Amino acid sequence: MSLPRKQLGRTDLEVTSVCLGTMTFGEQNTEAEAHAQLDYALERGINFIDTAELYPVPPSAATQGSTERFIGSWLKARGGRDKLVLATKIAGPNASQAWIRGARHNVDAANLRAAVDTSLRRLQTDYIDLYQLHWPSRNVPVFGANQFDPRKERDGVAIEDTLRTLSELVREGKIRHIGVSNESPWGVCEFVKQAERHGLPRIATVQNLYNLTARAFETTLLDEVCYREDVSLLAYSPLAFGQLSAKYVDDPQARGRLTIYPATWSPRYLRPAVFEACREYAALAREHGLTPAQMALAWCYSRWFMGSTIIGATTLAQLKENIDAAQVTLSDEVVRRIDEIHARITNPGQ
C-alpha cells in the first residue's frame, strides 16, 4: 500500500503521512544501521526525513551532529536528493549545552546563519526543505513542563527578528520553508501574525508532542489554531518513548531509552499514570487483534489534523511494524474505547 501524501501548510511540500525520525542515529544506531533504516524507509515510499543539529539524543558534546553527518553520508552515496523532503532544526537557548556555539546560543541572526551553514555541510546538501526552531527563544514550558511560569521570564530573540533572518536565508536558497517546534497556541499565532504584518516567511508546520498519553494538541485549542492558520502538525514521540509499544508494561526492565539512560532524561514517561494508561491501551489493542504499537500509531496516522507522524526505531523490525501500522484502520469501537481511557487518564505523558 502506498503511503498517502499531504501538503504542508501553504507550501509546495508534499510529504508522506509517515516521516522517518532519526534521533537515534549516532547513539543507539551506528552509521551502517542508520543507512539501512534510510534505505528501508525509501523502499517503503517514505519521502520525508526529520533531524536536528542537536541529535542524537540524549544530547552530548561527543555525539552532537552525528545524526546529520550519517544522513549526509547516505545522501552522498545514494543520491536522489530531489525526491526527498529534508527537515532539520536549530537548537533553542540552553546554557547546559555550551558545545553548540557556546552557552549563549539562540535563534538570533548570527546563530541562525552558523547553524544553517553547519547543517548544510553535515547533510552534504545545498538546501534544507524545512528549517525548524527546535524550541522557543522565550520562556515557555517544554519537554515535560506544562505550566507557564512568569517568574521564569528571560530575554529572548524577537519573533520578527528571527523571521527576518530566516527570510534572508530563504532568498539565498539555503532553506525553502520554515517551521516551529514545541510551540504553544500563542507562539503559533504570533509567528503567523508577524509574518503577515511584515511580509516575512510564514511557518508551515509545528512539530509538537502527540500520542495517546499526550493529546494536549487537541485540548489547548492548538488544533483549531493550526486549522484556521494552515499550519500542519508534525507529531513527534507517537509511541511515548516506547511506552505505547507496551514493552515496559510487559517487562519494566526491557531494553530501551527508559532503561538504558538515566531517569532524569525522560521523567514524564516514567510517571505511574503513564504506565497505567499504557496497560489499558495495550489490553484494548490486543483485545482487537492489534499490537499496542500498531494501535497507537494508527491513531496518530488517522487524525484529521495530522500533517505527518514522525516515527523512530532502533531496529528494522520495529521500523517495519511502525510503517505497516499505516495500513490499519481503527474501528469506531476502538476509537470510542480510546477516548474513554483518555477521559479517565488524561494526558499523563504531556
Side-chain angles (χ1 to χ4, degrees):
M1 184 185 81
S2 61
L3 296 169
R5 296 192 178 195
K6 290 189 177 181
Q7 180 180 340
L8 294 183
R10 298 180 182 178
T11 74
D12 59 352
L13 298 177
E14 287 196 354
V15 301
T16 44
S17 59
V18 182
C19 172
L20 181 64
T22 61
M23 70 179 187
T24 61
F25 295 2
E27 178 64 36
Q28 291 172 270
N29 287 112
T30 65
E31 187 169 16
E33 290 168 341
H35 287 192
Q37 284 197 33
L38 289 159
D39 285 340
Y40 183 73
L42 202 64
E43 289 169 14
R44 293 296 303 271
I46 290 175
N47 78 330
F48 192 16
I49 301 168
D50 179 72
T51 187
E53 68 166 350
L54 179 73
Y55 294 165
V57 297
S60 74
T63 61
Q64 188 255 325
S66 296
T67 304
E68 288 186 330
R69 281 190 289 272
F70 288 5
I71 294 170
S73 61
W74 177 79
L75 281 172
K76 183 179 181 181
R78 304 297 193 273
R81 171 69 182 91
D82 59 324
K83 296 180 176 62
L84 297 171
V85 175
L86 184 57
T88 191
K89 315 177 198 73
I90 180 175
N94 187 330
S96 68
Q97 295 169 357
W99 59 84
I100 303 177
R101 295 182 302 283
R104 296 180 63 82
H105 66 269
N106 210 317
V107 292
D108 56 275
N111 275 282
L112 277 164
R113 287 192 166 279
V116 166
D117 287 344
T118 304
S119 287
L120 288 170
R121 284 196 298 273
R122 285 194 290 244
L123 291 166
Q124 301 195 54
T125 185
D126 296 327
Y127 65 96
I128 296 161
D129 295 290
L130 180 66
Y131 197 65
Q132 305 156 97
L133 311 179
H134 207 152
W135 60 89
S137 175
R138 69 186 190 281
N139 167 36
V140 64
V142 292
F143 304 126
N146 49 34
Q147 291 185 331
F148 178 74
D149 186 351
R151 295 171 298 180
K152 295 182 179 178
E153 282 294 270
R154 61 174 182 252
D155 291 333
V157 180
I159 287 173
E160 179 190 346
D161 292 345
T162 295
L163 286 174
R164 288 193 183 280
T165 304
L166 290 170
S167 179
E168 293 170 3
L169 291 164
V170 170
R171 286 198 301 271
E172 292 166 16
K174 293 183 177 182
I175 59 178
R176 295 183 61 202
H177 302 285
I178 64 171
V180 291
S181 183
N182 297 294
E183 260 298 358
S184 69
W186 182 89
V188 170
C189 289
E190 189 66 11
F191 268 94
V192 171
K193 182 177 79 174
Q194 293 296 329
E196 293 183 344
R197 176 178 291 173
H198 301 288
L200 298 168
R202 212 174 183 280
I203 58 170
T205 56
V206 56
Q207 184 177 146
N208 273 25
L209 174 69
Y210 184 83
N211 61 57
L212 288 175
T213 75
R215 292 170 57 181
F217 182 84
E218 303 167 69
T219 58
T220 61
L221 297 183
L222 188 49
D223 54 352
E224 182 189 5
V225 168
C226 289
Y227 172 75
R228 299 198 184 281
E229 300 296 350
D230 293 324
V231 176
S232 301
L233 172 65
L234 306 179
Y236 75 78
S237 201
L239 290 178
F241 268 30
Q243 277 281 26
L244 284 163
S245 72
K247 67 180 180 181
Y248 302 110
V249 169
D250 297 338
D251 177 9
Q253 299 306 313
R255 182 170 177 78
R257 286 181 216 160
L258 298 184
T259 54
I260 63 178
Y261 300 121
T264 52
W265 164 236
S266 50
R268 63 181 162 191
Y269 294 127
L270 296 173
R271 296 168 185 160
V274 171
F275 282 89
E276 181 184 356
C278 290
R279 275 192 292 271
E280 295 205 25
Y281 288 128
L284 173 62
R286 288 163 174 162
E287 178 185 334
H288 288 267
L290 301 170
T291 69
Q294 282 178 323
M295 188 183 81
L297 289 170
W299 169 266
C300 290
Y301 296 153
S302 67
R303 297 302 86 193
W304 65 264
F305 47 74
M306 194 65 65
S308 190
T309 300
I310 303 169
I311 60 170
T314 53
T315 69
L316 288 178
Q318 291 172 340
L319 185 57
K320 180 180 187 303
E321 181 181 14
N322 292 351
I323 299 172
D324 287 348
Q327 302 177 38
V328 174
T329 300
L330 299 179
S331 68
D332 291 343
E333 168 68 8
V334 169
V335 171
R336 182 184 65 80
R337 296 271 298 279
I338 285 173
D339 281 335
E340 287 178 353
I341 296 170
H342 174 65
R344 285 186 287 102
I345 315 172
T346 306
N347 294 337
Q350 194 68 46

